[in-house]
Amino acid sequence: MRKLLATLITSTVLFSPVAVSAATVFPLDRATILVSSPFDVKVEFDGVVAEGDVSVTVNGQPAAEVLGKSFTFIEKEDGVDASAVRINEVTLPSPGTYTVVAKAGSEEKTVTWEVYGTPEAPVAKNVIFLVADGLSVAHRTAARIMSKGMSEGKANGRLNMDDLDYAAFIGTSSTESVATDSANTMSAYMTGHKTAVNALGVYADRTADPMDDPKVETLAEALRRQTGKSVGVVTTSELQDATPAAVFAHTRRRAEKAEINNHIFDLKPEVMLGGGSAYFLPQSQPGSKRKDDVDHITLYKEAGYTLATSKSELETAAGTNTGKLLGLFHTGNMDTTLDREFLKKGTVDKFPEQPGLVQMTQTALDVLSRNDDGFVLIVEAANVDKMSHPLDWDRAVVDTIEFDKAIGLAREFAAKNPDTLIVATGDHTHGVSIVGTVNDEKDADSMREKVGTYAEAGFPNYEDKNGDGYPDRIDVSRRLFLAANNGPDHYETFRPKLDGPFVPAIRNEDGKYVANEAYKDVPGAVFVQGNIPTSGDTGVHAVDDVVLQASGPGAEKFKGYMEQSDVYRVIAEALALGAKQTQ
């Protein structure tokens, strides 16, 4: 039986018969914390300890005196034969270095936190934060070549992201692993705290409950607490998916999408555009993925939101004056640009009126900019990642082009509103490189021999005759050859996947993933030996740094190597979120 006793832990250390280590302190060592930002504090011990044997100090003073609250002592955590202490929603009002020492018996754990302030006055009124999920250098290079062309060794044009003024390399590793996922990476951007794989807005503790982990404040919550700014989220994924969910969610497990949808409603961003309507519908309605009868669409309508479910409805909704807009265009993730606009594959037959990232971004800017206090808009190009996992590089690159068009809208807005900070980045990378080209006109016995490297690569012959920024065709006779350096066994066809998104591997009767033989008989297909465990069916994220670029007030602080949690600090300083503001 769990024993919960609220107590002020100020006692002198009493040595217990068995030495117990204070194994973990949350926030972790070297955490950077915005002044006055609420966060939970937890100490997990390695075993069961007596309440009287525990002490926690901050800068040599009893922790409760510094933090302003008393700890809760937990003799045995659920499912864990060990003790813990915890305080929820504490704040530190003064910048500085805080050394936390937790003791139990003869052992102790020490961590140091840096609490930082911000300028009293903001330098930016608006922030447009654009993230292409999984964006790697190869994606953007391929997007530039496919969109703009290249001749005589020089690109024939530039991407919008190429002309953002400042750049930095960003480290993406999680608190538990050098490799990472979209949840903890975007959470680091949105909270200033690194966390574990699959975690959002929390430090991942050892308990089984995914909703009880120590929380930290998100950027959107800080805006609500400190400012009158509007918040917008635009994505081509489900709104509950990891990257957009990091704006508002607090959970150890990103898969808790129904509960994440509750978190969205708690925060109520003024603009939300994307997929994931299945989590808004009550369980009684077809297609719902909820396990209750809550009708979130009705809740939003009652809260004054205008609802849009198609391109035409979004266009109409953009002209309304409610200042609150909910756009739900798919029950799940929205289709890729290549499928939606050109091939009409995927689920376009079921959802033929899906808007693109550009239209959604423009609408969001139109609505949010009506707030005289400013706004923060998060824009995610989700399918760069979702198509890179199955090694479907053409779909990933075309979505990168669409992402760059959204950056163009941000730049156009900032040109008219110079108090706008633009940040464009990825949350993590993929193991993809441009090897050279595939030349169908080459006289060769196999598709593999048509791969050109070095001088044999030449330049691709994509065309954009209608000037829309997209190649008129992706299946040209000399096309870019992208390849993965991590992934499952699969058949390389050396061709774009025009019939539908690529499915590289499928599960066999032994439960292992093997190459999908549906591609085996494609003329010239080559079996490629994978290099990830056979439990994986798609390519995995790479550990490489991501590139971040930025323009506008405050952007000069993005430089050199930075951790993802450092990015939050630059945004907080630009908006003066550490200063007392009047809403």
Side-chain angles (χ1 to χ4, degrees), residues 555-578:
E556 68 280 358
K557 293 185 178 180
F558 292 115
K559 57 185 177 180
Y561 174 79
M562 303 175 70
E563 301 290 350
Q564 283 182 309
S565 48
D566 299 331
V567 174
Y568 179 88
R569 180 170 181 170
V570 175
I571 296 171
E573 290 176 346
L575 297 175
L577 294 182

Side-chain angles (χ1 to χ4, degrees), residues 89-107:
E89 294 190 30
V90 302
T91 61
L92 291 169
S94 301
T97 299
Y98 290 77
T99 300
V100 181
V101 180
K103 297 182 180 180
S106 61
E107 301 296 324

Side-chain angles (χ1 to χ4, degrees), residues 434-439 442 448-458 478 481:
I434 304 173
V435 178
T437 62
V438 176
N439 184 1
K442 182 179 181 181
R448 180 177 179 179
E449 298 306 321
K450 293 186 177 185
V451 173
T453 62
Y454 298 108
E456 290 294 319
R478 190 193 292 261
F481 181 51

Side-chain angles (χ1 to χ4, degrees), residues 366-384:
D366 291 343
V367 174
L368 294 170
S369 60
R370 296 170 192 166
N371 185 347
D372 291 337
D373 289 334
F375 64 86
V376 171
L377 171 61
I378 311 298
V379 178
E380 184 208 12
N383 285 320
V384 177

Side-chain angles (χ1 to χ4, degrees), residues 148-356:
K148 309 300 181 184
M150 174 174 279
S151 58
E152 298 179 336
K154 293 186 178 182
N156 296 336
R158 300 173 67 86
L159 298 173
N160 288 295
M161 68 180 84
D162 293 334
D163 291 324
L164 296 174
D165 297 322
Y166 298 92
F169 287 102
I170 308 296
T172 66
S173 297
S174 77
T175 56
E176 62 178 353
S177 170
V178 66
T180 195
D181 83 320
S182 294
N184 75 92
T185 50
M186 189 63 174
S187 184
Y189 281 147
M190 293 292 103
T191 68
H193 295 259
K194 286 212 167 189
T195 187
V197 172
N198 293 323
L200 295 160
V202 297
Y203 279 99
D205 68 12
R206 64 190 175 190
T207 62
D209 186 349
M211 309 309 297
D212 73 347
D213 300 66
K215 297 178 182 178
V216 292
E217 184 179 54
T218 70
L219 174 60
E221 290 170 331
L223 293 169
R224 288 286 190 256
R225 175 175 59 83
Q226 282 286 82
T227 77
K229 296 183 186 298
S230 295
V231 177
V233 178
V234 170
T235 182
T236 49
S237 73
E238 297 170 321
L239 284 161
Q240 308 81 9
D241 200 23
T243 303
V247 179
F248 25 69
H250 298 279
T251 177
R252 172 66 179 89
R253 190 164 60 220
R254 58 182 282 183
E256 298 289 330
K257 293 183 179 180
E259 184 59 35
I260 288 171
N261 211 61
N262 296 338
H263 295 181
I264 301 174
F265 186 71
D266 291 340
L267 185 68
K268 297 182 186 65
E270 281 73 12
V271 174
M272 289 169 291
L273 305 175
S277 63
Y279 296 99
F280 285 78
L281 302 173
Q283 62 181 340
S284 59
Q285 290 195 24
S288 171
K289 291 187 178 180
R290 297 195 65 81
K291 296 181 179 180
D292 57 35
D293 295 317
V294 178
D295 185 339
H296 276 245
I297 292 177
T298 297
L299 291 177
Y300 278 98
K301 287 182 177 179
E302 292 173 347
Y305 283 76
T306 300
L307 175 67
T309 61
S310 66
K311 287 193 292 188
S312 56
E313 288 183 3
L314 181 60
E315 186 175 350
T316 299
T320 63
N321 293 315
T322 62
K324 297 179 180 180
L325 178 57
L326 173 64
L328 299 172
F329 308 109
H330 200 293
T331 52
N333 298 312
M334 297 172 67
D335 282 294
T336 69
T337 311
L338 187 60
D339 288 315
R340 190 186 67 245
E341 300 296 335
F342 302 101
L343 302 179
K344 306 301 179 184
K345 298 292 185 179
T347 62
V348 172
D349 58 336
K350 296 180 180 179
F351 302 93
E353 282 290 303
Q354 300 172 62

Side-chain angles (χ1 to χ4, degrees), residues 30-101:
R30 297 182 292 165
T32 52
I33 303 171
L34 174 65
V35 70
S36 299
S37 179
F39 63 98
D40 297 345
V41 181
K42 184 182 182 185
V43 181
E44 295 179 338
F45 299 105
D46 278 346
V48 177
V49 301
E51 179 184 347
D53 288 349
V54 176
S55 74
V56 182
T57 62
V58 179
N59 287 347
Q61 301 298 313
E65 292 182 9
V66 179
L67 301 177
K69 290 185 177 181
S70 299
F71 274 102
T72 295
F73 176 75
I74 307 166
E75 184 179 25
K76 287 188 178 181
E77 294 198 274
D78 282 343
V80 183
D81 193 24
S83 304
V85 294
R86 181 167 178 164
I87 306 178
N88 291 342
E89 294 190 30
V90 302
T91 61
L92 291 169
S94 301
T97 299
Y98 290 77
T99 300
V100 181
V101 180

